[in-house]
Amino acid sequence: MKYSVNDLVAMARTFMNDCADESRTNLLNAREIVTTKCLFPLIHEMMMSINLTADSLLILVERNRVWDATILFRSIIEGTAKFCYLLTAPSLDEEENRIKEFREILPKKEMGALEQCVAAMKRNGFYHDNSGEGDVCLDPLYKTIHETKTQEGEGFKNREINVKWRFQNLSKVLRNECLVWSGLADLWEYRYSMSNALVHKTDSGCGEIAERADRNSDYRRISDLAHASSLLLGNCMLFYTRFSVLSNRIAGNYKSLAGVIARNSCLFEAAESIEQMFVEAYHKHERQGNSQEESLCLK
């Protein structure tokens, strides 16, 4: 086989490093950036978090844990959508409003969802008060939850904001506000919907894993390679999207990173070649399997 998973991971890492280097040049050349006060500290924290998850995806694929990498991929898609939404606000007032919603409103729902669980743990054997000063884990957590959760009278407004920040709704806005997102929006919405729901948790997902494992060795190798390739390419393009949007926000005008794609054409050529190999293998083996089933039925 012309390509291996390690080859693909190496090309993906090169692509991502190239994106970061070219974007860094744009950042260093930027002058007189007009922005709200909290934007860049928040974006720095988000970029670190999403990039660490993206690196974890590479490591999992490298170790043939593509199903676990698939679950992480959903978080990377959603994180990138929120990242782009914060950076593509049409005005400074809207930018400030989005930052406030992200930092102050969205965490309230997350904290509220934890409250009953932590309260139940405080009532049972998980609670340890050895020194008479309370449980060093549960008490501080419960205090944070109580202070941060949705307070009386905030429920309706906070629910509206949480709906606004749902992935599918963010993607609809980004189709109009973010050129680099809009070009692949259909793919991201599809992959977001499919990345987690069927993996490990249902009969459909477990059955899919078992079915792939039962394929003959040649078919299984190309199937696994195609799965890894699609994850790596998607991970790279989301990385590209984040750095493109950041460069554009810093520069104040459209700043293309298209040179990165041109310099890393080998990655896209490999992905296209693997996709074609999988299509050919699929038609060959699935037709063969269907013919065998039909023969058994006739007998």
Side-chain angles (χ1 to χ4, degrees), residues 167-180:
F167 171 76
Q168 298 291 349
N169 292 331
L170 291 185
S171 187
K172 287 179 184 177
V173 175
L174 291 173
R175 283 174 179 270
N176 297 317
E177 288 186 357
C178 183
L179 180 64
V180 68

Side-chain angles (χ1 to χ4, degrees), residues 2-281:
K2 186 176 179 181
Y3 300 102
S4 69
V5 169
N6 287 339
D7 294 332
L8 295 175
V9 171
M11 285 188 278
R13 285 203 168 103
T14 299
F15 178 94
M16 293 162 79
N17 288 336
D18 200 2
C19 272
D21 289 341
E22 184 150 333
S23 181
R24 189 178 298 113
T25 301
N26 295 333
L27 302 186
L28 292 174
N29 292 334
R31 297 291 184 274
E32 298 181 1
I33 306 166
V34 180
T35 178
T36 50
K37 180 180 178 182
C38 299
L39 178 66
F40 288 136
L42 174 59
I43 290 302
H44 176 257
E45 292 167 0
M46 290 185 72
M47 181 70 91
M48 286 184 61
S49 176
I50 302 170
N51 287 356
L52 285 171
T53 307
D55 196 49
S56 296
L57 184 146
L58 291 178
I59 293 168
L60 287 169
V61 170
E62 198 170 31
R63 286 158 176 73
N64 297 314
R65 306 294 298 183
V66 291
W67 294 101
D68 300 302
T70 297
I71 296 172
L72 282 188
F73 191 49
R74 191 173 195 264
S75 296
I76 297 168
I77 296 172
E78 184 172 11
T80 301
K82 290 178 177 178
F83 182 89
C84 293
Y85 184 67
L86 288 166
L87 282 169
T88 57
S91 67
L92 289 178
D93 286 342
E94 176 60 13
E95 182 175 278
E96 186 173 7
N97 186 52
R98 291 180 185 186
I99 291 171
K100 182 176 180 180
E101 290 174 352
F102 182 81
R103 300 185 74 179
E104 298 179 16
I105 307 300
L106 297 186
K108 291 178 179 289
K109 180 182 177 182
E110 301 296 331
M111 290 298 179
L114 291 172
E115 183 179 29
Q116 289 187 353
C117 304
V118 175
M121 291 177 71
K122 281 171 65 70
R123 293 193 297 268
N124 61 33
F126 288 99
Y127 190 83
H128 300 289
D129 184 9
N130 297 326
S131 62
E133 298 180 0
D135 188 295
V136 297
C137 294
L138 291 180
D139 284 331
L141 177 58
Y142 190 77
K143 182 175 183 292
T144 300
I145 290 170
H146 185 72
E147 292 173 349
T148 309
K149 70 174 185 175
T150 300
Q151 304 300 318
E152 187 176 352
E154 296 178 337
F156 179 76
K157 179 184 176 182
N158 289 358
R159 280 193 295 274
E160 280 191 324
I161 291 172
N162 275 279
V163 169
K164 174 183 172 182
W165 279 81
R166 287 176 184 168
F167 171 76
Q168 298 291 349
N169 292 331
L170 291 185
S171 187
K172 287 179 184 177
V173 175
L174 291 173
R175 283 174 179 270
N176 297 317
E177 288 186 357
C178 183
L179 180 64
V180 68
W181 179 275
S182 64
L184 292 171
D186 289 343
L187 175 63
W188 302 142
E189 290 173 14
Y190 168 76
R191 294 300 297 263
Y192 179 84
S193 299
M194 293 298 293
S195 284
N196 194 45
L198 298 181
V199 179
H200 299 320
K201 300 196 299 184
T202 69
D203 180 67
S204 298
C206 295
E208 171 71 8
I209 295 172
E211 188 273 330
R212 292 195 182 201
D214 285 340
R215 292 173 179 173
N216 70 56
S217 58
D218 289 340
Y219 187 19
R220 184 169 62 251
R221 276 196 294 271
I222 186 57
S223 176
D224 290 347
L225 187 63
H227 191 173
S229 175
S230 71
L231 282 171
L232 291 171
L233 190 61
N235 196 28
C236 284
M237 291 312 298
L238 287 167
F239 196 91
Y240 176 91
T241 296
R242 293 192 297 278
F243 276 94
S244 293
V245 170
L246 178 60
S247 292
N248 293 336
R249 179 63 183 85
I250 295 292
N253 52 41
Y254 183 71
K255 205 78 174 176
S256 174
L257 299 184
V260 174
I261 293 178
R263 289 192 297 273
N264 292 272
S265 59
C266 59
L267 172 64
F268 300 91
E269 291 167 1
E272 185 176 1
S273 175
I274 290 167
E275 181 181 2
Q276 185 58 40
M277 290 166 60
F278 173 71
V279 169
E280 292 172 0

Side-chain angles (χ1 to χ4, degrees), residues 211 214-216 219 280-297:
E211 188 273 330
D214 285 340
R215 292 173 179 173
N216 70 56
Y219 187 19
E280 292 172 0
Y282 176 84
H283 287 310
K284 176 183 176 181
H285 293 282
E286 294 298 331
R287 282 175 182 166
Q288 187 179 68
N290 290 337
S291 297
Q292 291 173 350
E293 287 182 7
E294 289 171 4
S295 298
L296 289 172
C297 289

